[in-house]
Amino acid sequence: MRRWAYGAADGDWSGLLQMLDPDVTFHVPVAEFAGVRHGAAEAARFFGHLSPTLRAQLDVTGTLADGDRVAFEVSVRGSWHGQPLTQALCLVFVVDGHRIREFREYLAWPGGLENAG
């Protein structure tokens, strides 16, 4: 989770990408990547898409674990395409040792919320 947070903060996702299984399966709620995707190269393409547009601080508010699955409830504050972003999400990872075999992202507020002031 720390490596995901580092990537969101500075746009350098290389630490997270190093943890991905070459055959990783993932689903994220981003229009350009709708549906289930496969492979570390496709994940690198996704995170490359985020690099220039997302800057955010992620704070873990809860952690859930069940065998090889770990979920993190996260609050997000930052910017997306230069606009303020505040949202909550849940990131679910399926791990095998130190490799991420699968990840999924669920947004509590798709598209974020407008800044309340």
Side-chain angles (χ1 to χ4, degrees):
M1 187 59 227
R2 282 189 301 269
R3 292 182 186 200
W4 191 293
Y6 295 153
D10 67 11
D12 180 1
W13 297 92
S14 60
L16 178 66
L17 291 170
Q18 292 171 359
M19 296 183 71
L20 299 181
D21 185 276
D23 297 320
V24 66
T25 298
F26 67 99
H27 181 274
V28 292
V30 175
E32 297 87 349
F33 292 87
V36 176
R37 301 291 181 140
H38 302 280
E42 186 69 357
R45 192 169 79 80
F46 166 69
F47 288 108
H49 172 76
L50 293 182
S51 288
T53 60
L54 174 70
R55 290 296 179 274
Q57 176 180 332
L58 279 60
D59 294 309
V60 175
T61 58
T63 304
L64 309 164
D66 179 23
D68 62 354
R69 292 182 303 162
V70 181
F72 298 93
E73 295 174 337
V74 180
S75 67
V76 180
R77 291 194 178 281
S79 65
W80 173 258
H81 293 284
Q83 298 297 313
L85 169 71
T86 302
Q87 64 184 186
L89 59 89
C90 183
L91 295 165
V92 179
F93 298 94
V94 177
V95 297
D96 183 9
H98 295 289
R99 289 284 193 198
I100 298 169
R101 290 191 332 230
E102 182 179 330
F103 66 88
R104 296 179 300 279
E105 180 179 351
Y106 302 94
L107 295 179
W109 299 299
L113 297 177
E114 289 193 30
N115 188 351

